[in-house]
Amino acid sequence: MGTVLSLDLEQKAAAVRAFLRAAVREHGKVVYSNSLGSEAMVLTDIIASDLPEIDMFSIDTGRLHEETYALLERLEERYGTRIRLVHPQAESLSALVKTQGINGFRGSVDARISCCYVRKVEPFKRAIAGFKAWVTGVRREQSAARAQGAAEEWDSQYGLYKLSPLLDWSEAEIWQYIRARKLPYNALQDRQYPSIGCAPCTRAVEPGEDRRAGRWWWEIEAQSRECGLHPRVRHAAVAGA
């Protein structure tokens, strides 16, 4: 049986709805880039239930975990085909694999970022085309870089506003909402996968590790461990980005 939301969390959820409604009034065309993580379950529920004006998409990189595809199926059962799936361009993907090999992204940070660009960043750019603002599930707790963000800021990289309505939510509040609303979530999160990306690039975290330590864990510099959708502390060059 789900837990009851605290008054504080009820108020925070209401504030998210109000924030997003105001964003729709101000910007008109708003899109949510759904990561399918725990934060995404909260935003999916709020947007699908109360904000039909906001478009939702998720990127199928072609290398997702089976548990992630199972989650997509459960989300369809609950909300219908509300989340549109966006895929990498076939020609670009074919050229990448021909150049790198199937798992060549482990060869260097630049190779991995190139893979992220083809599989995630370029599809993202197509998915947001024509929109005036995009919604993220970024929270301050997630990383040092993300702690520096604002709830609404101009995203010069993509030429539209970036909205982060969960910025000040804690991990505990995210899960309280999920359990109270009995929301579906990725089964990997019960197996110490707090941050889930592509299957070859995500592992479980050990006790005491940072929640994003399982992403691109073989890279020495923790600051490099972003796919490119959100800024890194120290930017690495991407050909064509």
Side-chain angles (χ1 to χ4, degrees), residues 6-59:
S6 66
L7 177 60
D8 180 61
L9 194 54
E10 289 276 14
Q11 291 172 340
K12 293 186 86 162
V16 170
R17 289 191 290 272
F19 175 85
L20 291 174
R21 287 193 184 106
V24 170
R25 287 195 300 271
E26 181 178 356
H27 303 296
K29 296 190 69 177
V30 178
V31 62
Y32 172 39
S33 175
N34 194 318
S35 70
L36 303 175
S38 55
E39 295 83 7
M41 299 304 97
V42 174
L43 285 174
T44 298
D45 188 61
I46 290 173
I47 291 170
S49 301
D50 299 304
L51 293 140
E53 310 94 332
I54 296 180
D55 181 71
M56 279 194 284
F57 74 89
S58 191
I59 299 169

Side-chain angles (χ1 to χ4, degrees), residues 2 9 32 45 47-48 87 90 101 124 170-171 178 198-199 203-204 221 224 232:
L9 194 54
Y32 172 39
D45 188 61
I47 291 170
H87 302 86
F124 172 82
S170 68
E171 182 82 0
I178 288 172
C198 291
R203 65 159 172 80
E221 293 283 342
S224 73
R232 288 174 287 274

Side-chain angles (χ1 to χ4, degrees), residues 56-225:
M56 279 194 284
F57 74 89
S58 191
I59 299 169
D60 180 359
T61 64
R63 300 296 299 268
L64 301 179
H65 295 265
E66 285 303 317
E67 290 86 350
T68 303
Y69 291 111
L71 172 61
L72 279 165
E73 185 177 7
R74 293 179 65 201
L75 290 170
E76 283 187 358
E77 290 171 358
R78 181 161 181 143
Y79 303 111
T81 54
R82 186 70 171 81
I83 302 171
R84 61 186 172 100
L85 288 181
V86 183
H87 302 86
Q89 290 182 328
E91 289 184 3
S92 299
L93 189 55
S94 179
L96 175 78
V97 175
K98 183 177 180 180
T99 301
Q100 289 191 353
I102 196 67
N103 289 329
F105 48 80
R106 290 204 177 107
S108 69
V109 173
D110 284 346
R112 194 271 296 166
I113 292 174
S114 293
C115 184
C116 286
Y117 183 82
V118 169
R119 292 185 182 274
K120 194 167 185 180
V121 178
E122 190 282 329
F124 172 82
K125 288 181 176 181
R126 278 188 283 117
I128 64 169
F131 289 91
K132 303 300 183 184
W134 70 289
V135 180
T136 85
V138 165
R139 295 187 299 106
R140 295 192 194 281
E141 284 185 348
Q142 291 170 333
S143 71
R146 295 180 178 197
Q148 299 167 15
E152 179 169 342
E153 54 191 342
W154 176 250
D155 189 337
S156 58
Q157 183 177 3
Y158 300 116
L160 73 173
Y161 285 91
K162 179 179 176 180
L163 311 172
S164 301
L166 300 182
L167 202 60
D168 294 316
W169 284 49
S170 68
E171 182 82 0
E173 288 169 333
I174 293 293
W175 283 100
Q176 183 185 352
Y177 187 100
I178 288 172
R179 293 184 178 112
R181 293 280 292 151
K182 299 180 181 177
L183 302 183
Y185 62 89
N186 197 314
L188 289 173
Q189 293 187 308
D190 290 331
R191 292 162 18 209
Q192 304 306 311
Y193 281 75
S195 179
I196 303 166
C198 291
C201 299
T202 311
R203 65 159 172 80
V205 300
E206 300 295 329
E209 280 190 314
D210 180 86
R211 72 184 307 278
R212 287 183 65 81
R215 303 293 296 275
W216 309 293
W217 69 93
W218 64 87
E219 294 181 4
I220 296 172
E221 293 283 342
Q223 294 90 341
S224 73
R225 295 176 192 165

